[in-house]
Amino acid sequence: MALQAASSAFMIGSHVWLEDPSDAWVDGEVIEINGDEIKVQCTSNKTVVAKTSTAYPKDPEFPPSGVDYMTKLAYLHEPGRNVLMLAAKCSVFNLFQTYTGSILIAVNPFQRLPHLYDMQVMKKYNGVALGELSPHPFAVADSAYRQMINESISQAILVSGESGAGKTESTKMLMCYLAYMGGRVDNAEERSVEQKVLESNPVLEGFGNAKTVRNNNSSRFGKFVELQFDGRGRISGAAIRTYLLERSRVCQVSDRERNYHCFYMLCAAPKEDVDKYKLGNPRTFHYLNQSNCIEMDAINDAEEYLATRKAMNVVGMSQEEQEMLSLIGEKNQTLLNPRMINPGVMRSLLKSPYANVFFVTRDATITKALDPIAAALSRDALAKIVYSKLFDWLVEKINVAIGQDMESKFLIGVLVE
């Protein structure tokens, strides 16, 4: 947000903030005005002469200890001192969220705080106006749900931030609250739509998330989740749209980062699966050993493998489909099945110093030899295409399992970018 000085409002006695090279910001009272300059008596007892363009109005009632929420600021440009005070409170009281108008700003606490997101907290935010209680994702979700019901208009929630900011966790909290508000179980033995959405998350995370320098579980794709509601405000269907998958990561990984979780999960699978799929130590695979980061303390790849397979069962993927994850292709087109390829021929081609590209013309088939560098580039291009097709196929399977309501009256969309 751009800072704008209200120089025309300055007069003798005005309270202002000034930038300071040693203290960052100092505050004081205007004691003299001379054209585009002002003389300020600072609360630190020093006198400063500054341009009016570099001064910013200060709320004279600004509390010395700062404010709890930014909605209490008279001026949005009240400088960093308040942010630092808020950060100090966060470290002591586990308060790491604040408001700017209807925008929730959250700082990743880098710790699990389950007591802040349980059912009792959901009940506390139910029906309470935004800003009346402590800043929380539940408040934003409740506001969207109430406006949808009261104004009969679909809503959208944008979750944005840097890698590692906590977008994935914040999205989970929003989904949990909307499921709480609009949940419906017609059959006690059948899982609800919102349960299916939440249960599908390990599959999307396994194939779409990776460790980056700043985040152990960074989503490397954009996601738009539609929760569809009927006229009574009950969830009737859902759909997940994905976009901008980071395909380049499949073939090229920077140090201190990892490829997609699923590759490491497969290498950490039970022995019978490792033997069956001819897997092994991830350090033996070129697409994984470009980085020295293979294992992570915070993630157990063997456990994540089992959790992902369980999630695949939950969303309705058959054992045959789980084993045939290497299938690629579009509907009504021939699928490429690696099991249909002669292993001996494939091994021979991959080990040969040159790969060949075939061009079929009307009169003949022309063979063009590729050098190793060009062959490797072609291999990488094919790998990225295959992985993108695989990811799209997984999302399609999840959407079929969740079930869309084509006659839904409203929707709340959660866009994560």
Side-chain angles (χ1 to χ4, degrees), residues 94-148:
N94 286 332
L95 301 175
F96 52 93
Q97 299 164 140
T98 186
Y99 286 128
T100 294
S102 61
I103 301 173
L104 174 68
I105 301 176
V107 178
N108 191 336
F110 294 103
Q111 58 180 308
R112 297 288 181 183
L113 301 170
H115 65 286
L116 297 182
Y117 301 103
D118 58 21
M119 184 62 69
Q120 295 304 316
V121 179
M122 289 186 186
K123 291 178 180 178
K124 186 172 75 170
Y125 281 87
N126 187 348
V128 178
L130 189 72
E132 289 190 12
L133 295 177
S134 300
H136 201 288
F138 291 165
V140 175
D142 187 83
S143 176
Y145 182 82
R146 297 295 170 187
Q147 290 186 60
M148 178 189 73

Side-chain angles (χ1 to χ4, degrees), residues 8 16 18 27 91 189 224 229 257 259 278 288 311 325 365:
S8 60
V16 296
L18 298 174
D27 61 318
S91 63
E189 298 180 355
F224 183 73
F229 296 82
E257 296 191 345
N259 213 313
K278 295 180 172 57
L288 305 184
L325 285 177
T365 299

